[in-house]
Amino acid sequence: MALRLNSTVNTFPSHQLMPSSSSKSRNFRSPRIFMASTLHSDSSKETEKMKKTHCPPRESHVQVTHSMPPEHLEIFSSLEEWADENILVHLKPVEKCWQAQDFLPAPESEGFYEQVNELRERAKEIPDDYFVVLVGDMITEEALPTYQTMLNTLDGVRDETGASLTSWARWTRAWTAEENRHGDLLNKYLYLSGRVDMKQIEKTIQYLIGSGMDPKTENNPYLGFIYTSFQERATFISHGNTARQAKEHGDMKLAQICGTIASDEKRHETAYTKIVEKLFEIDPNGTVLALADMMKKKISMPAHLMYDGQDDNLFEHFSAVAQRLEVYTAKDYADILEFLVGRWKVEELSGLSGEGRRAQDFVCGLPPRIRRLEERAQGRAKKSSSVPFSWLFGREIVV
């Protein structure tokens, strides 16, 4: 979800993972930097063409790649056995996993049409703004190919062959397979509900996968696993809140659907936070610097390049509805950081370098600062306006 926290997160200097007394070793970032390939200048004809065929124009910025010092690759090689024993256990055998069909009308049943009608009758009682958030959550889940690609950019843990037997590669593939059920289930529910414009939703998914994502993780597994820890908790919160609100609207089956997905996200959050916890144990200085670096840059949401072919500000509008319905808010952003700081015992770290201590102070002090800024922003909030959502056949929704 879009969070306007620039004044909060840009106050901390750029960090290195492992500061050193030598100037050469301190310059840990790779010289390989690129302009973001999905970001365009409004003035060029090529931009207009790309806007119509692939994605909307974006503000240009420099992308950093391979920022982890090569010597840190050994850390992740040495954690192979640990990951096998401590991370893969958070996956479920396929035969014990739920599948989308467990929650949907059975097409082979004689009562199929009756079951679909019952689903549609329940859906009629749910307001449009809720469907905006549910559709946005589903589209985010459906961009799963991008997230697997992102994990496979990370040095030292990527799946080098597509079928590698390393613990890291097996985790990435099995995590992807479990996550794949989320988009499947929500997509089929929304299709059967009759409440949304499925073609516009399908176009949005295609645009989003084509646009990719830019989480600023720099091929660096320190940054990557911090990012995924934050994101899994964010999706756990979001799906949990859509479950609660579906129950309030009287659709217990939809509440079960969203709650089941939230439970998966919680299990995956546990795995990713354990990885970062282990990095804090092995390399507390480098890990706290990485955490501060990610928070300085802000945690961008996976669907931040969302586009439907019409609305250049679709993600911001979707996020505004989610904020208004309290499905995912700026307060949640601060709460997640505070939770992770506590989970990783960041305040208790000792033996840090001077830069590490500054990073520690920054991260530990950030949640209350975010909350204060959000309170001020709410006080200055402009009057609500309405925008049309193509997902709902152009009906206007308050943002």
Side-chain angles (χ1 to χ4, degrees):
M1 313 291 175
L3 295 170
R4 303 187 183 281
L5 301 171
N6 292 340
S7 57
T8 305
V9 298
N10 289 335
T11 57
F12 195 72
S14 180
H15 291 300
Q16 302 164 351
L17 286 179
M18 287 293 288
S20 163
S21 57
S22 81
S23 59
K24 181 177 180 181
S25 63
R26 286 182 64 83
N27 185 20
F28 81 95
R29 292 195 184 277
S30 165
R32 285 169 284 186
I33 57 177
F34 306 92
M35 298 305 290
S37 60
T38 59
L39 311 184
H40 316 293
S41 166
D42 286 325
S43 60
S44 70
K45 293 181 180 179
E46 184 65 21
T47 293
E48 290 304 311
K49 181 180 177 181
M50 290 293 289
K51 176 178 177 180
K52 293 177 182 178
T53 59
H54 296 291
C55 59
R58 302 287 174 180
E59 182 180 354
S60 181
H61 70 277
V62 174
Q63 292 181 320
V64 179
T65 62
H66 304 287
S67 65
M68 185 176 72
E71 60 269 22
H72 284 196
L73 291 173
E74 179 58 33
I75 290 177
F76 293 93
S77 297
S78 70
L79 289 176
E80 274 285 331
E81 184 176 347
W82 175 87
D84 187 69
E85 296 174 355
N86 293 275
I87 301 304
L88 298 186
V89 295
H90 293 290
L91 298 166
K92 284 188 175 182
V94 173
E95 296 301 325
K96 293 185 178 180
C97 282
W98 60 265
Q99 299 299 332
Q101 195 51 52
D102 296 333
F103 302 91
L104 298 168
E108 75 281 6
S109 168
E110 291 184 1
F112 174 69
Y113 295 108
E114 181 180 349
Q115 294 170 32
V116 171
N117 286 332
E118 290 174 357
L119 184 155
R120 291 165 74 96
E121 286 300 314
R122 292 193 303 269
K124 287 181 181 178
E125 303 302 316
I126 300 176
D128 279 348
D129 50 7
Y130 177 92
F131 273 101
V132 167
V133 176
L134 191 66
V135 169
D137 283 354
M138 181 273 276
I139 289 169
T140 302
E141 295 285 357
E142 288 281 56
L144 184 62
T146 297
Y147 314 145
Q148 184 175 23
T149 298
M150 187 278 271
L151 287 173
N152 281 329
T153 69
L154 301 179
D155 294 333
V157 297
R158 69 171 57 90
D159 186 347
E160 296 285 358
T161 68
S164 169
L165 295 180
T166 68
S167 299
W168 300 114
R170 285 155 55 208
W171 163 264
T172 295
R173 293 195 303 271
W175 170 85
T176 303
E178 289 193 354
E179 288 277 334
N180 186 61
R181 300 168 302 147
H182 302 171
D184 279 353
L185 177 52
L186 291 174
N187 194 317
K188 290 172 182 175
Y189 168 85
L190 287 164
Y191 171 80
L192 293 173
S193 76
R195 288 290 304 275
V196 297
D197 187 333
M198 287 305 300
K199 184 170 182 177
Q200 280 300 125
I201 290 170
E202 289 159 359
K203 285 167 61 178
T204 307
I205 294 168
Q206 185 173 353
Y207 273 119
L208 181 56
I209 295 174
S211 295
M213 65 182 291
D214 183 20
K216 301 181 178 67
T217 48
E218 305 174 4
N219 309 102
N220 186 327
Y222 282 72
L223 303 178
F225 289 136
I226 289 168
Y227 179 86
T228 52
S229 297
F230 197 103
Q231 276 307 321
E232 292 288 4
R233 187 157 185 85
T235 51
F236 160 67
I237 290 170
S238 180
H239 288 302
N241 283 329
T242 54
R244 174 180 55 80
Q245 293 189 20
K247 183 177 180 180
E248 292 171 357
H249 293 307
D251 193 334
M252 300 305 294
K253 179 59 71 173
L254 179 57
Q256 183 186 20
I257 287 172
C258 296
T260 300
I261 293 172
S263 180
D264 268 6
E265 305 290 11
K266 180 63 177 174
R267 180 161 48 84
H268 296 160
E269 173 207 320
T270 299
Y272 284 119
T273 55
K274 282 176 69 173
I275 295 172
V276 179
E277 182 179 42
K278 189 66 174 178
L279 292 176
F280 268 112
E281 177 186 322
I282 295 171
D283 179 16
N285 205 72
T287 309
V288 75
L289 289 170
L291 177 57
D293 185 39
M294 281 307 302
M295 298 316 302
K296 173 184 70 72
K297 293 182 292 193
K298 293 190 300 182
I299 301 290
S300 61
M301 297 298 129
H304 65 279
L305 298 181
M306 185 184 286
Y307 182 55
D308 62 351
Q310 300 178 20
D311 184 356
D312 287 351
N313 299 307
L314 179 59
F315 182 74
E316 286 72 18
H317 292 152
F318 154 59
S319 300
V321 177
Q323 170 87 22
R324 179 170 60 79
L325 295 188
E326 298 184 349
V327 169
Y328 184 79
T329 68
K331 179 182 180 300
D332 291 321
Y333 186 98
D335 289 347
I336 292 169
L337 176 57
E338 188 170 67
F339 171 84
L340 293 175
V341 166
R343 171 74 171 79
W344 295 326
K345 299 182 173 62
V346 177
E347 289 187 1
E348 301 174 20
L349 296 177
S350 60
L352 302 174
S353 67
E355 192 175 14
R357 288 193 299 273
R358 289 191 294 274
Q360 180 185 39
D361 291 342
F362 169 76
V363 169
C364 292
L366 190 53
R369 292 175 61 196
I370 293 173
R371 294 190 184 102
R372 287 195 299 271
L373 286 169
E374 173 59 17
E375 289 172 2
R376 294 172 192 166
Q378 290 296 324
R380 297 191 301 268
K382 297 180 181 178
K383 186 178 180 180
S384 298
S385 60
S386 297
V387 298
F389 277 86
S390 68
W391 306 337
L392 299 179
F393 305 97
R395 293 195 293 275
E396 292 200 346
I397 305 295
V398 175
V399 295

